[in-house]
Amino acid sequence: MRMSMFRSRMADKSIDYTLLWDPDNQYYLSNFQAISYSRPIVLLIEQKKSQYIIPALEEDHAKEKTNVDEFFIYHEKVQNSHLNTDYKEPLCNIMNDWPKDVVVGVEMDILPASIYQILHEQGFRMKDIEQDLIELRSVKDQEEIYWLEQAGRLSDAALEASFANVRVGMSELEFDSFGDQKLLEMASKEFPGLIVGYENWTCSGIERSVMPHLHSSTRKYENNDVIIHSRQVWINGYRAENERTFFMGEPTEEQKKCFQLAVDAQQAGFDMVKPGVKAKDVDIASFDIFEEKGYGKYVQHRIGHGLGLTEHEEPYLRFDNDLVLEEGMVYTIEPGIYVPGVGGFRHSDTVIVTKDGCRSITAYPREMEKLMF
Amino acid sequence: MRMSMFRSRMADKSIDYTLLWDPDNQYYLSNFQAISYSRPIVLLIEQKKSQYIIPALEEDHAKEKTNVDEFFIYHEKVQNSHLNTDYKEPLCNIMNDWPKDVVVGVEMDILPASIYQILHEQGFRMKDIEQDLIELRSVKDQEEIYWLEQAGRLSDAALEASFANVRVGMSELEFDSFGDQKLLEMASKEFPGLIVGYENWTCSGIERSVMPHLHSSTRKYENNDVIIHSRQVWINGYRAENERTFFMGEPTEEQKKCFQLAVDAQQAGFDMVKPGVKAKDVDIASFDIFEEKGYGKYVQHRIGHGLGLTEHEEPYLRFDNDLVLEEGMVYTIEPGIYVPGVGGFRHSDTVIVTKDGCRSITAYPREMEKLMF
């Protein structure tokens, strides 16, 4: 179904062959995902067939997972030195058989320059196909929504476990790990045989929380810390993002005010999301809440991003994005302010656009009373 | 020091400007690492200055971490819509000031085609600088070796914690999580304020263990399972890899034989590593152990890869690599065989090339008696 939708887009653009490099685009269309792409993997698609170029050690796994028609294997052991030993060999062989006047679809912002050069030198005309994949991937089907909901539920359980164990003197990484263990235990019970993963970024204290993008560290929680805990959980490839700002002890009046502004800005975002609204309207609705109170200058980032297979995926909820929201799209809603000397304040929830609004697949409490420890 | 070594290589190749895209190459030269590159970050280097193009939300973090001379910030809030709102704007502005006859160093296998196109259309001559970064990064300095050793020690402690809790009925992911918690707890005590991370791939049972590259799943351990547990741990960016094959209960005679062959092949690898030896000699020494007993056909991958900042980094210990090993290089030694119906068998350790041999920074027991549970 996904493959046939993609092929119809290729036809619309008069693209004869597509060369896909991005692992998530490959997974979306083929159902095969490797744990590492340091040995490159290439997916080639035309109307009548599809081909994978993969390293020998992924051969069995790929053949089990995907319906792609043909496999070209490259090898790295001395006995097979007479066969392909580099992914570029089968790729060039395949391209040599293509008629010279064909149009090749590529992901221009992802394809490595070295492959672009080969295509260019062979005289192929290239067209960017990335936007089509963004559009296809942005509207989730029922199966995708099912997995997103499971990821949301697991992320809520993880937050609950982390918060149940929170105390002064524990490190950001230790805090995270209680949630990790809980969700792995749950997933192991409920979803035999599946792949589950997670990422956490926890920034504690005034100086770290004002930098919205830091890895969790060994810094230990102190009395009066303001802390932003951010978690993504994925199952079967699909991700939910769940973030809460919280306090160790009683916040200052200024911190309370900032916290409430972030909560209100997020609510303004939730209220704005529905089919027909533009991406930028959501961002601006939320920004205005901060701006009205004089905190607009402490905003550093858009209100949210698309979510599905990739940590941050398009479309982005940005002030300059005219995209019209559709039912089945998935976004994070995560307005934040970062006030030097006061702290960082941001919740993030993951919402699915419904027929007449949106619903959140993450539900951990957002109110201040429940987020003081 | 690293920057000046890199600049001297640029001069040797008559490269005037370098545009670096790879996050690990950027970190190696600049000491700044973001948690996500979905907002692109570009590092530009010339003899007299260095420049970062970064998103606004990384500005404070980057300025705290790096000595790069100039910063070009791009924005994503409506108030700053008169400034740069995309990384390509400052990049094109900077390039417009470059003389047209300069040579630009790029990472040809990493740079996106869209940036290559811009450089190409502007008429700049490009040279591939990737190999120079591979060479610089392959020989570790004292500080790097210190962090690698810490990563090795943490990984051993993690394995110990996972094995202390191993039992039939637990899932691969739960097994991993005991090690995760242990290493986070240790790191939090010993290294205040630092970043620690880990990845695990645990493949249990005959069918999963013969596929060397799978994510840990919710599959539960059963009696008579053969299991390959693979763990990478990193601290301050530097990684150690530590992998053990183990059994739940008593292995079959065939499994014992395969296990011992993998141990012997790894020992042959250890014994071969020293300065002056070629990368391919290590791979072949190890492969020959399998081949002599008729198991060469079950080998799927090279004996090992370079390790440092990236999960798998060059140089690779492959049968066709003539690279001569040098003191200070770091490799995984991980020969494996994957025998259908019997199981997968592979240990991996991370070794540093010393003056006259190598030493392993990972030390968890490798003998069968210690790996039956």
Side-chain angles (χ1 to χ4, degrees), chain A residues 229-289:
Chain A
H229 172 54
S230 176
R231 173 180 287 279
Q232 277 198 3
V233 171
W234 56 93
I235 179 156
N236 216 20
Y238 287 89
R239 292 168 177 253
E241 181 171 302
N242 202 336
E243 306 183 354
R244 291 296 178 264
T245 300
F246 65 99
F247 302 101
M248 299 308 290
E250 182 80 7
T252 65
E253 288 309 306
E254 176 74 1
Q255 287 174 331
K256 284 183 190 173
K257 186 177 168 186
C258 293
F259 180 97
Q260 195 55 46
L261 274 175
V263 168
D264 294 345
Q266 194 191 28
Q267 189 60 51
F270 291 150
D271 293 344
M272 184 59 75
V273 175
K274 65 178 167 193
V277 160
K278 289 182 176 173
K280 67 187 197 184
D281 297 332
V282 187
D283 188 56
I284 290 167
S286 163
F287 180 77
D288 283 347
I289 301 286

Side-chain angles (χ1 to χ4, degrees), chain A residues 78-90:
Chain A
V78 63
Q79 284 177 318
N80 291 331
S81 58
H82 60 293
L83 303 172
N84 294 314
T85 58
D86 185 286
Y87 78 100
K88 286 182 186 170
E89 293 170 41

Side-chain angles (χ1 to χ4, degrees), chain B residues 132-244:
Chain B
D132 293 274
L133 282 153
I134 290 168
E135 286 169 23
L136 284 172
R137 284 176 50 184
S138 70
V139 179
K140 270 67 178 176
D141 61 32
Q142 281 311 306
E143 192 192 336
E144 292 178 291
I145 287 175
Y146 173 78
W147 290 114
L148 286 159
E149 287 169 343
Q150 303 314 312
R153 193 166 56 81
L154 291 169
S155 75
D156 279 333
L159 260 63
E160 210 167 292
S162 282
F163 283 122
N165 287 282
V166 67
R167 58 176 175 75
V168 166
M170 85 192 308
S171 72
E172 294 168 1
L173 285 161
E174 287 173 288
F175 175 81
D176 297 346
S177 74
F178 285 99
D180 301 342
Q181 258 197 328
K182 178 66 185 177
L183 80 93
L184 295 179
E185 189 192 306
M186 275 178 69
S188 299
K189 274 193 196 123
E190 296 182 27
F191 302 105
L194 284 187
I195 311 302
V196 188
Y198 53 88
E199 279 179 311
N200 304 299
W201 310 277
T202 305
C203 305
S204 64
I206 289 171
E207 292 189 4
R208 283 177 54 80
S209 69
V210 296
M211 292 192 267
H213 259 191
L214 297 180
H215 288 274
S216 294
S217 81
T218 54
R219 181 188 179 278
K220 289 174 185 149
Y221 293 172
E222 296 172 9
N223 268 319
N224 301 319
D225 269 356
V226 53
I227 302 163
I228 304 181
H229 172 54
S230 175
R231 174 179 286 278
Q232 277 198 4
V233 171
W234 55 95
I235 180 158
N236 216 18
Y238 287 90
R239 291 168 178 255
E241 182 171 301
N242 203 337
E243 305 183 355
R244 292 295 178 265

Side-chain angles (χ1 to χ4, degrees), chain A residues 36 38 76-77 79 85 108-109 111 113-114 116 171 181 188 191 193-194 218 291 296 299 302 311-312 318, chain B residues 36 38 76-77 79 85 108-109 111 113-114 171 181 188 191 193-194 218 291 296 299 302 311-312 318:
Chain A
S36 167
S38 65
E76 56 188 45
K77 65 174 177 178
Q79 284 177 318
T85 58
M108 214 54 98
D109 278 339
L111 185 75
S114 56
Y116 175 89
S171 71
Q181 257 195 330
S188 300
F191 302 106
L194 284 188
T218 54
E291 182 67 0
V299 171
R302 62 195 177 213
E311 179 188 86
H312 298 152
R318 261 178 71 131
Chain B
S36 167
S38 65
E76 57 188 45
K77 65 176 175 176
Q79 284 179 317
T85 57
M108 215 53 99
D109 277 341
L111 185 75
S114 56
S171 72
Q181 258 197 328
S188 299
F191 302 105
L194 284 187
T218 54
E291 183 67 1
V299 171
R302 63 198 175 212
E311 180 188 86
H312 299 151
R318 259 178 72 130

Side-chain angles (χ1 to χ4, degrees), chain A residues 192-209:
Chain A
L194 284 188
I195 310 303
V196 186
Y198 53 88
E199 277 178 311
N200 304 299
W201 312 278
T202 305
C203 306
S204 63
I206 290 171
E207 293 188 3
R208 283 176 55 78
S209 68

Side-chain angles (χ1 to χ4, degrees), chain A residues 120-188:
Chain A
H120 187 71
E121 280 160 18
Q122 298 240 6
F124 295 117
R125 198 146 70 86
M126 283 176 267
K127 278 190 187 170
D128 199 345
I129 192 85
E130 216 170 316
Q131 188 56 36
D132 293 276
L133 283 153
I134 289 168
E135 287 169 21
L136 285 173
R137 284 176 51 185
S138 70
V139 178
K140 271 66 179 175
D141 60 31
Q142 281 311 306
E143 192 192 337
E144 293 179 290
I145 286 175
Y146 174 78
W147 291 114
L148 285 159
E149 287 168 342
Q150 304 313 312
R153 194 167 54 82
L154 290 170
S155 75
D156 278 333
L159 260 64
E160 210 168 291
S162 283
F163 284 123
N165 287 283
V166 66
R167 58 175 174 75
V168 166
M170 86 191 309
S171 71
E172 295 167 0
L173 285 160
E174 287 173 287
F175 175 81
D176 297 346
S177 73
F178 285 99
D180 300 343
Q181 257 195 330
K182 178 64 185 178
L183 81 92
L184 295 178
E185 189 191 306
M186 272 178 70
S188 300

